[in-house]
Amino acid sequence: MISRLTAHSKLCSNLYLISARSIFGNFAGTGVGVLHFTSVSSVKNPLGFRLVSHSTLPLLTTSKIDFEKEDLMMKEELKRYDETMRKNTKYGLAILGIGCLIGCGAAVAKWGGPVKDDLGLPVADEFSQMPFLKQRILRTWKEIRLLEKYIKEPSRDILLPDPLKEPYYQPPFTLVIELTGVLVHPDWTYQTGWRFKKRPAVEHFIKQVGFPNFEVVIFTSEPGISAFPIIDSLDPQGLIMYRLFRDATKYVNGHHVKDLSRLNRDLSRVILIDWDPKSFQLQPENVLRLPKWEGSDSDLGLVELASFLKTLVASGIKDVRPVLQYYSSFDNPLEEYRKKRQQLEEEQEKLKDSGKHFTGPKASSFMGRFWQRQSIQ
């Protein structure tokens, strides 16, 4: 019977089970585990027993000593890396310090000496009686401050010449216009580089507001080398009287600001057309703030702007600033002007139908409402 069961068990498939006891047995503390595979017959013998056989295979794992060695090697490598970085930082700072000393010494040697006359003799100044090193340092500091002023301040104190005197004609209002975002739109591509797109009706606008209606001044934060040919293409007839570029702006907190007080004009009759609040932060009351033109071909903003400006001149107003402040309070001043104009035209039609005569707007009524009060006869 036993031999029969043995033969029968050889024909049966075996199921191998991993015994957890074999892994954490007597070898648990040595880092070497032993896997016990138990083969179990899937068919019971006639006596109701299963034939079970055991076999063991060793499973090698990494020892704790190896882990400790690797951890120690990694710490040593990080330590060497930190030391190298500290040394490189020290060398870099030392080189930077030496460079600064050389630069300061060169600046003192260049700017620290006194000014010399045509004969090559030194000219006495406020530092001449001081010790040698001190006077050279103070002269150098003075030159640095002058350089800083040259960068931040406009290139000249008065940007425009005096107004024309009789018998010459001086327009009653000065119209200052930003170039980019108002008259042109800059565009850049890999194929063409920088190009400037003309705003629709820009030639019509310049003719409408140019001399003799306004004293037109282009005042832009663009450098003159790029803006000058653009203005030439916009104004072939020379209706724009003056051109001011980046060197005429004031550098304030990282922005090129237009200082209208340097225009040598009465600010009550100066109108600035711009879209960037940072560029007119010194005199916001003189600005008609328009939305920036982004290059739309269907835009007719300049047509409306020309109509607005001509109406402003015709009203005989003495101070443009309250009017500009009122319209600049709207997101789109020209849209508000269009609404006011339509209201006025409707009122004129009603007066015409009623047989009453409309004498025109008063200058004082230009604020608050396009023409808020009319005189009726």
Side-chain angles (χ1 to χ4, degrees), residues 216-237:
V216 180
V217 181
I218 296 295
F219 197 174
T220 178
S221 58
E222 297 289 337
I225 191 172
S226 61
F228 212 95
I230 298 173
I231 300 174
D232 286 339
S233 65
L234 296 179
D235 181 33
Q237 299 180 1

Side-chain angles (χ1 to χ4, degrees), residues 56-73:
T56 59
L57 292 175
L59 177 64
L60 299 179
T61 60
T62 305
S63 65
K64 292 183 178 180
I65 298 176
D66 293 336
F67 279 119
E68 291 176 356
K69 289 182 179 180
E70 291 180 0
D71 186 54
L72 182 61
M73 292 174 60

Side-chain angles (χ1 to χ4, degrees), residues 248-294:
T249 61
K250 187 174 184 178
Y251 196 70
V252 180
N253 297 327
H255 301 283
H256 295 281
V257 181
K258 302 175 179 68
D259 188 0
L260 302 181
S261 65
R262 296 176 180 264
L263 291 181
N264 195 25
R265 296 293 184 270
D266 182 6
L267 290 182
S268 65
R269 292 179 170 268
V270 174
I271 304 169
L272 172 61
I273 308 297
D274 207 332
W275 58 270
D276 185 8
K278 295 177 181 178
S279 68
F280 54 78
Q281 55 185 283
L282 297 180
Q283 294 90 16
E285 64 277 3
N286 283 91
V287 181
L288 181 65
R289 182 182 56 83
L290 300 180
K292 183 180 180 181
W293 180 58
E294 298 291 352

Side-chain angles (χ1 to χ4, degrees), residues 332-348:
N332 192 335
L334 298 180
E335 181 67 26
E336 182 65 19
Y337 163 74
R338 190 183 303 112
K339 293 179 182 179
K340 298 291 185 182
R341 186 180 62 185
Q342 291 176 354
Q343 293 176 4
L344 176 64
E345 292 175 352
E346 292 174 358
E347 292 177 4
Q348 287 178 332

